[in-house]
Amino acid sequence: MKFAIQVNEGPYQHQAADSAYQFTKAALEKGHEIFRVFFYHDGVNNATKLTTPPQDDRNIVNRWSELAEQHNLDMVVCVAAAQRRGIVDEGEANRNGKDAENIAPGFRISGLGQLVEAGIQADRLVVFGD
């Protein structure tokens, strides 16, 4: 089965990010395809490389980055939601006069069209969070 995943909640204020990660990982281990993981609303906070949890806590951002690298996942961050929350890649930083980028490895910024395409291309769109 081909899945598209939508993550609407940040990494530490809601269970949705952990659940989405565990679902994605399990689906890949079972041989399913992940067409795209789309981070929307507060879910874009899963994509900031500035997250620094305590050493004894899980690092959800690093988990996503590692999973993307291992499985060549397309992990898209909604541009409008990211800009509202101060998450930018090099291109967005330059366009908006910012002096740094803070997007974690494995993530890319794009628009809602990527979510629409994922919903069309996948057999199932699974949404985590409100």
Side-chain angles (χ1 to χ4, degrees):
M1 181 159 299
K2 186 188 309 185
F3 291 102
I5 309 296
Q6 180 179 337
V7 183
N8 292 336
E9 300 292 345
Y12 296 102
Q13 73 264 26
H14 197 280
Q15 181 64 34
D18 281 308
S19 296
Y21 169 80
Q22 294 296 339
F23 178 91
T24 302
K25 184 178 173 192
L28 290 165
E29 288 171 356
K30 292 289 186 182
H32 298 288
E33 178 184 345
I34 303 297
F35 180 78
R36 178 170 294 135
V37 182
F38 191 86
F39 297 86
Y40 195 36
H41 301 300
D42 283 340
V44 301
N45 289 314
N46 287 279
T48 176
K49 68 182 178 184
L50 298 179
T51 300
T52 311
Q55 288 181 327
D56 62 344
D57 197 358
R58 72 220 183 285
N59 189 320
I60 298 174
V61 176
N62 286 355
R63 285 181 178 179
W64 279 115
S65 291
E66 290 166 7
L67 196 63
E69 183 179 340
Q70 292 166 357
H71 297 279
N72 195 29
L73 291 180
D74 184 21
M75 298 200 315
V76 177
V77 178
C78 175
V79 63
Q83 286 179 337
R84 286 185 193 106
R85 291 160 180 85
I87 299 170
V88 294
D89 61 10
E90 185 178 358
E92 290 301 316
N94 290 336
R95 264 191 294 287
N96 292 290
K98 305 297 180 186
D99 61 1
E101 50 86 25
N102 63 338
I103 195 160
F107 293 87
R108 68 183 180 96
I109 292 179
S110 194
L112 276 176
Q114 300 296 310
L115 176 60
V116 173
E117 179 189 34
I120 292 169
Q121 295 295 323
D123 298 315
R124 298 284 185 275
L125 171 64
V126 184
V127 180
F128 292 87
D130 298 330

